[in-house]
């Protein structure tokens, strides 16, 4: 008959074997995991190589980006310069066209005035232009011509009157009113074929001009008057600008 201590000893022995087996299994698992990590993970040298490659690729890409940005900047500036040059060229061409048109008009004017087929005319006001200087001040340029007596000098005085409305009433401003001088003298002229007479006149506040009449009083001969509508006299006039 076995003693009571025998089963206890046997049980303890079995537990030791179980514990030893668990330790062996645990060690096997740890060793297997370590081996798997060594197999799958890259070596330190490979990591450094890959990191260096990435840095070089990043620097290369950044250099390409910088070059592309520089090209975009250069092309943008070049396009801007080309546009500005084209605008300047168009402006220059327009100015030249205006100059050519003006010269042709001058040639036609001279031909009508002194050409062999020019119609003979006495003293006359060929053109009148009014240019605004402010709300009340206007600068006028009057072109006087004559080719009836070739070589003869035409001399005299120029004055003008302006008709219009103010406060719903017709009103006519005399030369002294326009010059704002009670005894304003006329503007002198003296020429053989043509001359431009320039001066300034002043309109009262609220006055709406309608017609301008230029009066020439030669030293010999009857006075000459010629009228222009205000619309014709200011047709090519630019708007007045404030003084700087």
């Amino acid at each position: 008959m076995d003693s009571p201590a025998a089963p206890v000893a046997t049980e303890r022995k079995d537990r030791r074997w179980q514990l030893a087996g668990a330790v062996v299994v645990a060690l096997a698992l740890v060793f297997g995991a370590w081996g798997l990590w060594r197999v799958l993970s890259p070596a330190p040298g490979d990591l450094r190589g890959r990191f260096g490659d990435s840095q070089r690729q990043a620097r290369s890409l950044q250099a390409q980006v910088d070059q592309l940005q520089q090209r975009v900047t250069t092309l943008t500036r070049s396009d801007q310069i080309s546009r500005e040059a084209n605008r300047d060229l168009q402006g220059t061409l327009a100015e030249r066209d205006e100059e050519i048109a003006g010269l042709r008009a001058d040639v036609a004017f001279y031909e009508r005035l002194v050409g062999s087929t020019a119609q003979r005319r006495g003293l006359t006001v060929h053109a009148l232009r009014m240019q605004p200087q402010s709300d009340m001040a206007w600068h006028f340029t009057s072109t006087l011509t004559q080719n009836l007596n070739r070589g003869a000098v035409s001399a005299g005085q120029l004055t003008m009157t302006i008709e219009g409305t103010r406060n719903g009433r017709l009103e006519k401003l005399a030369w002294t009113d326009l010059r704002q001088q009670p005894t304003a003298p006329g503007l002198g002229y003296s020429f053989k074929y043509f001359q431009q007479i320039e001066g300034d006149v002043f309109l009262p506040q609220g006055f709406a001009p309608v017609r301008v009449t230029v009066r020439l009083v030669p030293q010999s001969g009857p006075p000459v008057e010629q009228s222009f509508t205000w619309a014709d006299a200011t047709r090519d006039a630019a708007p007045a600008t404030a003084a700087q």
Side-chain angles (χ1 to χ4, degrees):
M1 181 176 181
D2 294 333
S3 62
V8 174
T10 302
E11 184 178 353
R12 290 178 178 176
K13 185 176 180 180
D14 291 339
R15 289 180 179 176
R16 286 196 296 271
W17 280 108
Q18 291 175 358
L19 181 60
V23 171
V24 171
V25 171
L27 290 175
L29 291 174
V30 171
F31 181 77
W34 177 78
L36 181 62
W37 178 81
R38 288 296 303 273
V39 171
L40 296 180
S41 63
D46 293 339
L47 287 176
R48 287 192 292 270
R50 292 180 182 179
F51 179 71
D53 291 341
S54 298
Q55 285 185 322
R56 285 190 292 272
Q57 291 178 359
R59 287 194 294 268
S60 177
L61 291 175
Q62 185 61 48
Q64 294 178 14
V65 169
D66 293 341
Q67 291 178 357
L68 291 175
Q69 288 179 340
Q70 182 62 37
R71 289 185 61 186
V72 169
T73 301
T74 302
L75 291 175
T76 301
R77 180 57 180 165
S78 177
D79 180 68
Q80 181 181 359
I81 293 174
S82 298
R83 291 177 181 272
E84 292 177 354
N86 185 58
R87 284 195 297 267
D88 293 342
L89 179 59
Q90 293 296 330
T92 301
L93 291 176
E95 292 177 357
R96 296 297 179 268
D97 288 341
E98 291 180 0
E99 292 178 1
I100 292 173
L103 291 174
R104 288 176 176 173
D106 291 342
V107 170
F109 169 72
Y110 297 144
E111 287 180 348
R112 289 194 304 269
L113 186 63
V114 299
S116 58
T117 60
Q119 184 179 357
R120 297 291 184 264
R121 290 183 179 180
L123 180 63
T124 185
V125 182
H126 177 76
L128 175 68
R129 291 292 178 265
M130 306 292 297
Q131 179 70 37
Q133 303 298 303
S134 66
D135 293 339
M136 301 173 61
W138 289 78
H139 183 80
F140 69 86
T141 302
S142 180
T143 304
L144 313 182
T145 63
Q146 81 83 27
N147 63 355
L148 184 60
N149 298 320
R150 293 192 174 186
V153 175
S154 295
Q157 298 287 319
L158 177 149
T159 61
M160 69 172 55
T161 58
I162 298 181
E163 301 171 58
T165 60
R166 182 165 53 165
N167 298 326
R169 295 182 178 181
L170 294 175
E171 189 172 346
K172 184 175 183 179
L173 301 178
W175 176 249
T176 54
D177 299 324
L178 297 174
R179 299 288 282 184
Q180 295 184 345
Q181 299 177 16
T183 58
L187 301 179
Y189 65 84
S190 179
F191 65 94
K192 289 184 177 181
Y193 295 107
F194 74 95
Q195 183 179 4
Q196 286 188 331
I197 304 299
E198 300 185 33
D200 296 305
V201 294
F202 300 88
L203 303 181
Q205 191 71 30
F207 181 82
V210 176
R211 181 179 301 275
V212 185
T213 299
V214 180
R215 179 180 175 86
L216 304 178
V217 181
Q219 293 178 353
S220 60
V224 175
E225 290 187 354
Q226 192 160 346
S227 296
F228 303 84
T229 65
W230 188 257
D232 287 339
T234 59
R235 187 178 306 279
D236 300 326
T241 56
Q244 302 294 324

